[in-house]
Amino acid sequence: MLVRNTEGALILRVSGTITPVFMGMMVIGMSVSGYLKEMFSLGAVYAASGGFIFVGAALLLPLVVEKKRRGENRTT
């Protein structure tokens, strides 16, 4: 999605910004997961994680639909 939604001249800048943020959030998430496991059951932690994934997918869905609609308009 990064390559498809970013202009060619900006791809390196965007990926250079996103990669450290992604890695930092992975470290923070892994650090927090231990505390969450101690506070809640493992099933609750997995359920919350699944909920966050669905919310993220729902937020990205309009972008995917719009991109698909633009692609269909070009072929017709």
Side-chain angles (χ1 to χ4, degrees):
M1 289 186 73
L2 175 71
V3 174
R4 286 187 289 171
N5 295 314
T6 306
E7 295 179 27
L10 299 176
I11 288 178
L12 289 177
R13 289 184 183 184
V14 171
S15 65
T17 303
I18 287 178
T19 301
V21 170
F22 177 73
M23 295 301 235
M25 291 307 292
M26 287 287 286
V27 170
I28 291 170
M30 287 185 283
S31 299
V32 171
S33 66
Y35 294 115
L36 289 175
K37 168 56 180 92
E38 293 298 320
M39 293 171 57
F40 305 104
S41 70
L42 187 59
V45 174
Y46 277 132
S49 176
F52 286 130
I53 289 173
F54 280 121
V55 168
L59 290 173
L60 286 176
L61 189 61
L63 180 65
V64 173
V65 170
E66 178 65 29
K67 196 70 168 177
K68 186 176 180 180
R69 187 177 303 141
R70 275 195 248 157
E72 289 174 357
N73 288 342
R74 286 185 194 164
T75 59
T76 57

